Amino acid sequence: QVQLVESGGGLVQAGDSLRLSCAASGSTISRSAMGWFRQAPGKEREFVASISWSGSNVHYADSMKGRFTISRDNAKNTAYLQMNSLKPEDTAVYYCAVNLYGSLRDRTSEYGYWGQGTQVTVSS
């Protein structure tokens, strides 16, 4: 069974960048579509981005297009989320997960093997 561990979060200022990592262990994710989600205090978990197993197809939430980039390195069994031009409203816990159906859809219910999350805080 795959275990996912997110890292790379932290406290940054508006306009800064962060690169989050999602390292998998226990099983390979090289044949799995992956997704990033986030959850701010008092809000539901929301979709950020997803990537196909090969990395050739990606999908973003509209509000993240142009600022966030999802990628993966199957040799390292790791997925990434590059976040640029961060805004205070990006403050949340960021999670990665495996899409159980191999799709890039943004439905939380289609994802499993969630990591514990990494906190991103953007100050104004």
Side-chain angles (χ1 to χ4, degrees):
Q1 182 169 335
V2 63
Q3 291 88 40
L4 302 176
V5 178
E6 302 93 338
S7 62
L11 173 62
V12 297
Q13 294 186 332
D16 285 350
S17 299
L18 277 175
R19 188 194 196 201
L20 305 184
S21 297
C22 171
S25 62
S27 183
T28 180
I29 58 168
S30 63
R31 293 294 178 179
S32 299
M34 301 292 296
W36 283 96
F37 291 74
R38 69 185 186 184
Q39 188 166 19
K43 295 187 177 181
E44 293 187 353
R45 192 167 298 188
E46 66 170 340
F47 172 78
V48 174
S50 58
I51 187 167
S52 62
W53 70 268
S54 66
S56 59
N57 293 297
V58 296
H59 175 49
Y60 296 97
D62 288 343
S63 61
M64 284 67 161
K65 287 181 180 178
R67 295 193 301 125
F68 291 7
T69 302
I70 188 172
S71 62
R72 66 190 299 160
D73 185 337
N74 286 337
K76 295 183 179 180
N77 223 22
T78 301
Y80 303 97
L81 184 67
Q82 177 69 42
M83 306 186 295
N84 299 328
S85 302
L86 284 163
K87 306 174 182 179
E89 51 264 43
D90 294 319
T91 295
V93 177
Y94 284 71
Y95 300 89
C96 64
V98 173
N99 188 288
L100 302 175
Y101 302 94
S103 83
L104 301 187
R105 287 190 292 266
D106 57 8
R107 302 171 186 169
T108 306
S109 60
E110 292 194 6
Y111 290 81
Y113 305 107
W114 295 88
Q116 85 291 345
T118 185
Q119 176 71 47
V120 172
T121 304
V122 184
S123 63
S124 58

